[in-house]
Amino acid sequence: LVDLGWQKSLDKKGCIRICDLAGETKTWNENYEKLIEYKEKNGNMVFPSGNSKLSKKDLHLRNWVIRVRKEYQRLQSGKEADLSAIQMKKLSDINFLFNPKKISHSKSNKEIWESRLQALKDYKARYGDFAMHKKEASTTKLIQKMRREYKMRQRGEHNGLTDKRIAQLEEIGFEFERGKTPKVRYERRSWEERFQHLLKYKEEHGHCIVPQIAGGMLGKWVGRQRKEYNNLMKGEPSSLTHEKALRLSSIGFCFDASSRFRGKIRGRQNGD
C-alpha cells in the first residue's frame, strides 16, 4: 500500500487510519482550484448562509471551506491538523479568510484606531509632548494604554498594536517610554518579507543557516525566530505562530543552531 501512495497515520482521536495521501492531496488541490474559480466569478470567497441559494457544487465547496477553517483553528490551538504549510501558503496567496469573524469588524476597528490616533495628534499639538496632563484624563489613559501594549509587543505578546500602528505612532513622535524620545527604526520589514529573503538565501547557499553577525538583518531575524520558537515550545508568549513555524519547517529551517549541528550541515555540504 505504501508503494501505491497510501500512508498510515493517527487521526484526531488517536486511532490508526490508512489514508490515500496522494488522493487526498489531489482532492484538496481540486477544491482549491474551484475556490479560485468561485472568487473570479463572484469577486470574493463569501458564501450565502442559506443552502437554497447555493448550487450543489457551491454547497460542497462551502463545506470544504468550513472544514479548512476548522483545521486552521486546530492548528492555532497547537493540535494536529490536516493542513500543511504549503496549503496555508496557497490559501494566503489568494487572500483566503481563515477567520472571517474577525474581519467582519475590521472597518469599525479601523475607525476607532483613526479616532485615537487623531486624539494623540491633537494632544501633541496642544502640549508639544506626551507628558501626563490631568486635564486630559481620557487621552492620558490612551497614552498609558499605548505604552502598555507596546511593552507587551516587546515581550512577544500579541495585542491590537500592530506593526503598522506602531509606525503611525512613531511618525507623530509618540514616546513609548515616558520622557524618552522614540528610537528611529531602520529597515522595517514584515515577517513575510524576511521569509522571502530567507528563501533567496537558501537558493544561493543551499541551506537556511544564516550567520548571526555577517548575515546582517536577516541573520538577526533568523536568530529571533529561533528564540521565539523556543518560547512557543515552552508554552510561553511568542510572536511566532504555529503557521509561521510550519512554513519555516517546510523549507528546512534550522531551529537548533548549536555548533554541533552547524558542523553536521557543513559536513554534508562538503560531502563528508
Side-chain angles (χ1 to χ4, degrees), residues 45-46 65 69 91 94-101 103-104:
M45 289 174 278
V46 179
V65 166
R69 286 174 178 153
L91 290 167
I94 62 172
N95 296 319
F96 180 81
L97 303 182
F98 288 101
N99 195 337
K101 291 182 180 179
I103 302 299
S104 62

Side-chain angles (χ1 to χ4, degrees), residues 104-132:
S104 62
H105 299 292
S106 59
K107 185 176 181 181
S108 60
N109 286 339
K110 182 180 179 181
E111 290 174 347
I112 292 172
W113 168 251
E114 289 177 348
S115 175
R116 289 176 174 174
L117 187 63
Q118 187 59 50
L120 291 172
K121 288 179 180 179
D122 295 340
Y123 188 94
K124 176 75 177 294
R126 286 193 296 273
Y127 301 104
D129 56 29
F130 291 96
M132 299 291 104

Side-chain angles (χ1 to χ4, degrees), residues 44-109:
N44 56 51
M45 289 174 278
V46 179
F47 294 85
S49 56
N51 295 345
S52 60
K53 298 179 181 180
L54 289 171
S55 64
K56 187 176 180 179
K57 177 184 176 181
D58 289 344
L59 180 61
H60 172 80
L61 185 59
R62 187 186 70 178
N63 291 338
W64 177 78
V65 166
I66 292 172
R67 287 197 301 274
V68 168
R69 286 174 178 153
K70 286 182 178 179
E71 294 301 322
Y72 176 75
Q73 290 172 2
R74 288 182 60 83
L75 199 62
Q76 292 295 91
S77 302
K79 300 176 181 178
E80 291 291 333
D82 294 329
L83 192 64
S84 68
I86 294 175
Q87 290 171 341
M88 285 191 293
K89 177 65 170 62
K90 293 178 74 172
L91 290 167
S92 298
D93 288 342
I94 62 172
N95 296 319
F96 180 81
L97 303 182
F98 288 101
N99 195 337
K101 291 182 180 179
K102 288 185 178 180
I103 302 299
S104 62
H105 299 292
S106 59
K107 185 176 181 181
S108 60
N109 286 339

Side-chain angles (χ1 to χ4, degrees), residues 241-258:
T241 64
H242 290 280
E243 176 188 350
K244 290 177 179 177
L246 276 172
R247 291 183 65 188
L248 288 169
S249 180
S250 69
I251 64 169
F253 185 83
C254 172
F255 290 106
D256 179 10
S258 64

Side-chain angles (χ1 to χ4, degrees), residues 6 25 27 37-38 46 52 91 95 97 105 127 130 151 153 171 199 201 227 234 251 253 265 267:
W6 291 71
T25 302
T27 300
E37 292 177 6
Y38 182 91
V46 179
S52 60
L91 290 167
N95 296 319
L97 303 182
H105 299 292
Y127 301 104
F130 291 96
K151 287 181 179 179
R153 283 296 309 275
E171 286 176 4
L199 286 176
Y201 182 93
K227 290 180 181 179
K234 294 176 184 176
I251 64 169
F253 185 83
I265 293 295

